[in-house]
């Protein structure tokens, strides 16, 4: 019965072999099953997934707080551009102390002029640098008036250019010692251990 | 995403459930973390200790007991060799010479000298116990024209050997020597 009707239709419509009702063909070749399900309209879940970011933000906040509390700005000491610090491996962290900068021409204490390197060099013997001595001594007395109940640490940090001769180093060292700073530290750039 | 839910809309036109956009906040946190991590690596300036060995005012509480002078290591930086001399008062205990390398490099490095400092300390060092708070003294004799980087290279070698020292409840690794310059 049905085959009769089919044959009859075919006879009436010569284009029936080319025109027929379109099926679902879109992306029919995509091998992924879940994509095919979505395209076919059978999927139950929305393709927009909502990520829960709360735990991620918690983690980031904890990291930020940890880094901020452990952040140590003591190494971020400004070094004058005219000074090229020497390199060393076995060095410690910088502490908060008066800074004496020595380049090939001048001596500075915390950015203020405190003597001439050339003058020490020309004299050719160890000497007390008077201006440096006065400035360091006044700093020491200021510290003692501000904190009378604490013992004075007596630390001074020398930022000395790598090509400055030993006579200048020794003179500045002795001057600092005379001014009441027996613990003299030399600032260096650390090599090895991950940094530089 | 974060949001604020205040219950039903109560017949108002606008929705009362506001969505807070968390992305700029997360961005800010990420940038802060990156900044802090990178600047932590940047810290390269360090210091090397030295001591001028200035005697303090006499302590009236302490009894003066005649002490035998300690052994002190004298390091002489010569033209082409280092001389390491242990002296006890004016007596020379031992003397050792270390050849300077012909090519110390830039910055100069003296690994042989560092090894010698360690063997010398093992043989003659006086402060080896972790509870001992004092360090062995080294006196540096340097020529007046010697550049500072050479001094630092010798200092670096001097501070290479380390020992344990109890500081409070903790035990830390501390260089075995403490350096001072010779006054001459």
């Amino acid at each position: 019965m049905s085959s009769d009707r089919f044959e009859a239709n075919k006879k009436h419509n010569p284009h029936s072999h080319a025109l027929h009702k379109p099926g679902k063909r879109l992306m029919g070749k995509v091998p992924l099953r879940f994509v095919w399900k979505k395209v076919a309209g059978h999927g139950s879940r929305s393709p927009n997934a909502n990520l829960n970011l709360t735990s991620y933000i918690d983690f980031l906040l904890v990291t930020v707080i940890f880094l901020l509390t452990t952040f140590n700005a003591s190494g971020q000491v400004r070094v004058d551009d005219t000074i090229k610090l020497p390199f060393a491996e076995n060095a410690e962290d910088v502490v908060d102390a008066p800074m004496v900068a020595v380049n090939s021409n001048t001596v500075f204490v915390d950015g203020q002029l405190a003597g001439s390197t050339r003058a020490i060099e020309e004299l050719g013997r160890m000497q007390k640098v008077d201006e440096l001595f006065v400035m360091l001594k006044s700093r020491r007395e200021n510290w003692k008036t501000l904190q009378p109940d604490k013992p004075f640490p007596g630390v001074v940090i020398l930022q000395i250019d790598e090509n400055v001769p030993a006579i200048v180093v020794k003179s500045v060292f002795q001057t600092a010692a005379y001014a009441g700073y027996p613990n003299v530290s030399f600032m260096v750039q650390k090599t090895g251990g991950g940094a530089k | 995403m974060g949001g604020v839910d205040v219950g039903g809309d109560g017949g108002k036109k606008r929705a009362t459930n506001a969505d807070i956009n968390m992305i700029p906040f997360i961005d800010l946190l990420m940038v802060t973390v990156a900044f802090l991590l990178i600047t932590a690596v940047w810290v390269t300036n360090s210091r090397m200790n030295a001591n001028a060995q200035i005697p303090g005012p006499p302590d009236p509480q302490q009894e003066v007991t005649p002490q035998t002078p300690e052994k002190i290591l004298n390091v002489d930086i010569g033209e082409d060799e280092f001389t390491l001399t242990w002296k006890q008062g004016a007596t020379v205990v031992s003397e050792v010479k270390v050849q300077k390398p012909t090519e110390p490099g830039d910055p100069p490095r003296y690994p042989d000298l560092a090894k010698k400092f360690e063997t010398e300390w093992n043989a003659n060092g006086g402060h080896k116990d972790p509870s001992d708070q004092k360090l062995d003294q080294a006196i540096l004799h340097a020529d007046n024209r010697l550049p500072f980087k050479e001094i630092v290279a010798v200092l670096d070698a001097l501070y290479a050997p380390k020992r344990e020292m109890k500081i409070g409840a903790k035990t830390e690794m501390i260089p075995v020597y403490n350096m001072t310059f010779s006054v001459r």
Side-chain angles (χ1 to χ4, degrees), chain A residues 29-46:
Chain A
K29 290 275 191 276
V30 176
L32 299 170
R33 188 173 291 162
F34 73 94
V35 176
W36 177 240
K37 269 189 180 171
K38 289 272 177 268
V39 170
H42 299 302
S44 55
R45 283 175 57 191
S46 152

Side-chain angles (χ1 to χ4, degrees), chain A residues 75-144:
Chain A
Q76 309 281 32
V77 184
R78 202 183 164 278
V79 181
D80 200 275
D81 295 336
T82 54
I83 296 170
K84 192 172 179 290
L85 292 173
F87 291 90
E89 230 171 275
N90 303 296
E92 302 165 32
D93 286 342
V94 177
V95 291
D96 187 28
M99 291 277 168
V100 178
V102 183
N103 65 20
S104 51
N105 294 313
T106 36
V107 181
F108 297 96
V109 176
D110 291 331
Q112 287 173 287
L113 191 70
S116 160
T117 315
R118 284 281 162 84
I120 307 168
E121 241 175 281
E122 278 163 18
L123 200 68
R125 63 175 169 80
M126 217 148 92
Q127 55 165 318
K128 194 172 86 178
V129 189
D130 290 326
E131 282 166 289
L132 178 67
F133 175 76
V134 172
M135 288 174 94
L136 282 178
K137 207 175 170 202
S138 70
R139 266 177 179 66
R140 177 168 162 252
E141 277 155 13
N142 282 348
W143 197 95
K144 281 197 163 173

Side-chain angles (χ1 to χ4, degrees), chain B residues 74-137:
Chain B
N74 288 264
V75 183
D76 196 86
I77 309 172
E79 282 289 315
D80 42 34
E81 63 183 11
F82 304 102
T83 315
L84 318 182
T85 320
W86 284 96
K87 282 185 184 170
Q88 192 161 21
T91 19
V92 175
V93 178
S94 78
E95 191 177 279
V96 151
K97 286 187 193 297
V98 180
Q99 208 65 30
K100 241 186 193 180
T102 45
E103 291 283 325
D106 192 43
R109 283 276 162 275
Y110 303 122
D112 292 346
L113 185 66
K115 274 179 208 149
K116 204 75 200 167
F117 277 132
E118 187 155 16
T119 48
E120 283 298 303
W121 180 74
N122 285 332
N124 290 305
H127 304 278
K128 292 182 178 172
D129 195 77
S131 58
D132 196 342
Q133 300 291 313
K134 278 184 87 179
L135 297 170
D136 281 285
Q137 197 63 37

Side-chain angles (χ1 to χ4, degrees), chain A residues 56-57 60, chain B residues 22-34:
Chain A
Y56 179 53
I57 295 167
L60 279 179
Chain B
M22 281 295 181
I23 293 167
F25 179 54
I26 297 168
D27 285 357
L28 170 78
L29 284 176
M30 293 279 277
V31 168
T32 321
V33 168

Side-chain angles (χ1 to χ4, degrees), chain A residues 51 53 56-57 60-61 63-64 67-68 71 75-77 79 85-95 124 126 155 157 160-167 169-170 173-174 177 182-191 195-196, chain B residues 1 22 25-26 29-30 32-33 35-37 39-54 106-107 109 142-153 155-157 159-160 162 175 179-184:
Chain A
L51 271 177
L53 291 176
Y56 179 53
I57 295 167
L60 279 179
L61 268 175
T63 318
V64 166
L67 285 171
L68 278 175
F71 188 75
Q76 309 281 32
V77 184
V79 181
L85 292 173
F87 291 90
E89 230 171 275
N90 303 296
E92 302 165 32
D93 286 342
V94 177
V95 291
M126 217 148 92
V155 179
I157 296 177
I160 305 179
D161 187 89
E162 61 174 21
N163 291 317
V164 163
I167 179 70
V169 181
K170 286 195 242 177
F173 185 91
Q174 283 302 320
N183 297 313
V184 183
S185 291
F186 300 109
M187 192 179 268
V188 291
Q189 285 190 62
K190 201 161 187 169
T191 52
K196 270 210 166 177
Chain B
M1 271 318 147
M22 281 295 181
F25 179 54
I26 297 168
L29 284 176
M30 293 279 277
T32 321
V33 168
F35 168 78
L36 288 170
L37 281 176
T39 49
V41 177
W42 267 350
V43 179
T44 53
N45 285 343
S46 303
R47 69 191 177 106
M48 298 183 101
N49 250 330
N51 198 304
Q53 292 298 304
I54 294 177
D106 192 43
R109 283 276 162 275
D143 186 85
N144 284 348
R145 286 157 297 155
L146 194 78
F148 180 57
K149 59 180 170 187
E150 296 274 339
I151 297 174
V152 168
L155 258 186
D156 202 12
Y159 288 158
K162 292 191 171 66
M179 182 280 260
T180 191
F181 280 111
S182 77
V183 189
R184 68 175 165 136

